[in-house]
Amino acid sequence: MRRPLCLIPLFAFCMPSRAQEPTAAPDAKTLPEVEKLLASTVPAEVAWGGYLAQRHRLRDAVRALGAALQRWRDRDDKQARFVRLHLVDGLVGCGAHVASEQVEFLLADALTREAAFVVIAAEPAVNMDALARLAMEPAEPGDLVRQAAARLLIHEDLHVPALAAYLVQHASSSFDVTVRSDVSADAGWNSAIGLGGRQAAQLKSPPGFPPLVRHGLAKRARKGAEDTIVAAAAGVAGMQHTRTEPGSFYAFEATRRPFTEAPPNSTVFELLGCMAGEAAEPAVAHTLIWRDAPTFLAACTKLRNEQRNRLDALVARLRAQKWLAADELPGLRITLEESVHDERTDRSVTLPPIPPVEPLGK
């Protein structure tokens, strides 16, 4: 009896060959070895090229890193995201000074946003237009890249057209008055801030890839930190860049908050104060003890007008510092929102309305 032929090994040999993902870290330390990895068509090898260029601080690898980044720019698969992460990480580690056009597209991806900003921030004068776009574009409320871009422009004294006007137009100061019958009256207010739940996902590095890297910005820089993006200026602390290697995965926000047209109001006033060289307060609260309507009206109007004058003086300082041109938006004013809380025990006499603010220039 003839034995049946075994075709399985033959079938295996007929399978089309494919590039194998590396299972261990490549032993590449020299520039030619890293450039070979960066020129590879295997995603993990390219990622290792970026990772090792950063680790060994191969400054001469910047050109190869940039070329690889452009080749992987339009790939939309999962591995391509991680390849781009390690390539821009390599640019950061090598202290690259490149035109913003090479990395600006990475700002749209939360995975690479901070690292791309660090590269752009290395040449603030050259990349002034990109920084201006960053400083004034819609972003998440707590996005530190937008804040850092504005801080860097101010710190470097780069007078970008429209930046000061943009901040003034989005600034809102509050004048808050509480009227009580006597000093010991208890307002009885309870306030709470709800942060709300945000869905988190586990971000995991693909098999065979280098350890994950995470770039971040901290609003308050540690004293003496070497990786501070913006030095302390005019009482406003700089933005510190941090780089960590959390391992093969870390928690990552799966959803992003709705974008806002401007940073939080407190940040806007910080930036305006930095421009003007003088601190600016976004909110002022007063407590007035009720005597009679004329006394209340006189005191409330005086306090409100003082706050209005301080805000107008802030805009005037922006013009004096050349952040605003003398003839730019002559009627530009910071919004002042007024609120009065009546907490009197006896409300038989209605609180009189505060007269409107006089137009600018009168």
Side-chain angles (χ1 to χ4, degrees):
M1 178 181 294
R2 292 183 178 180
R3 293 181 179 180
L5 295 176
C6 181
L7 299 179
I8 295 178
L10 296 177
F11 175 76
F13 282 113
C14 292
M15 289 290 289
S17 61
R18 56 179 297 183
Q20 297 296 312
E21 300 286 355
T23 57
D27 185 21
K29 297 181 181 180
T30 66
L31 179 62
E33 291 171 332
V34 169
E35 286 180 332
K36 183 178 179 180
L37 289 173
L38 292 172
S40 173
T41 59
V42 180
E45 290 184 353
V46 182
W48 275 109
Y51 181 84
L52 293 171
Q54 182 279 140
R55 170 178 284 183
H56 301 302
R57 299 293 192 267
L58 299 176
R59 296 184 178 275
D60 290 336
V62 170
R63 184 183 298 274
L65 286 165
L69 189 59
Q70 297 310 308
R71 288 197 303 274
W72 289 84
R73 174 172 183 158
D74 297 324
R75 293 274 297 270
D76 58 0
D77 56 279
K78 178 183 176 181
Q79 286 192 333
R81 283 189 77 199
F82 290 91
V83 170
R84 290 190 289 266
L85 170 64
H86 288 289
L87 289 174
V88 72
D89 178 55
L91 290 174
V92 173
C94 293
H97 289 224
V98 300
S100 59
E101 293 80 6
Q102 294 190 38
V103 296
E104 200 168 354
F105 70 96
L106 296 171
L107 295 166
D109 187 348
L111 191 62
T112 53
R113 182 171 173 82
E114 284 80 3
F117 168 75
V118 173
V119 175
I120 293 171
E123 287 279 7
V126 174
N127 296 325
M128 184 172 67
D129 290 342
L131 290 170
R133 286 191 293 272
L134 267 175
M136 293 184 280
E137 73 177 4
E140 289 188 276
D143 179 64
L144 293 181
V145 168
R146 175 170 59 181
Q147 297 182 32
R151 290 173 189 271
L152 185 56
L153 289 168
I154 296 168
H155 179 261
E156 296 294 318
D157 203 26
L158 298 172
H159 290 227
V160 174
L163 178 58
Y166 159 83
L167 292 171
V168 170
Q169 289 167 339
H170 287 92
S172 177
S173 180
S174 65
F175 174 72
D176 197 336
V177 174
T178 300
V179 188
R180 296 176 179 171
S181 299
D182 58 73
V183 178
S184 61
D186 184 5
W189 285 0
N190 290 310
S191 61
I193 300 176
L195 299 179
R198 297 184 68 179
Q199 184 180 359
Q202 180 175 288
L203 188 67
K204 190 173 183 180
S205 186
F209 270 58
L212 273 177
V213 296
R214 189 172 192 174
H215 291 266
L217 295 175
K219 191 173 182 182
R220 303 297 179 192
R222 293 192 305 270
K223 185 177 180 180
E226 296 180 357
D227 51 357
T228 299
I229 299 301
V230 185
V236 180
M239 307 293 288
Q240 182 188 347
H241 166 231
T242 60
R243 180 190 183 275
T244 57
E245 292 189 16
S248 60
F249 67 90
Y250 63 83
F252 188 78
E253 291 174 355
T255 58
R256 304 184 72 178
R257 296 182 183 182
F259 285 10
T260 58
E261 291 295 323
N265 198 49
S266 59
T267 300
V268 170
F269 272 87
E270 269 191 277
L271 297 173
L272 288 172
C274 189
M275 281 179 164
E278 186 173 326
E281 296 182 354
V284 179
H286 303 275
T287 298
L288 297 179
I289 306 306
W290 176 257
R291 296 290 180 264
D292 53 53
T295 303
F296 161 78
L297 200 56
C300 203
T301 303
K302 178 177 179 294
L303 292 170
R304 192 277 315 276
N305 289 347
E306 288 175 350
Q307 186 170 345
R308 178 70 270 172
N309 291 338
R310 286 194 297 270
L311 297 173
D312 291 342
L314 175 61
V315 176
R317 286 195 297 274
L318 295 176
R319 296 190 189 280
Q321 298 289 344
K322 308 301 182 184
W323 288 103
L324 281 170
D327 58 348
E328 184 180 2
L329 301 173
L332 186 64
R333 296 182 101 173
I334 295 174
T335 300
L336 178 59
E337 298 180 351
E338 305 172 9
S339 60
V340 178
H341 309 280
D342 190 352
E343 296 183 359
R344 297 174 298 164
T345 55
D346 180 3
R347 302 181 186 178
S348 57
V349 178
T350 304
L351 290 177
I354 309 173
V357 176
E358 290 187 356
L360 193 64
K362 289 192 176 181

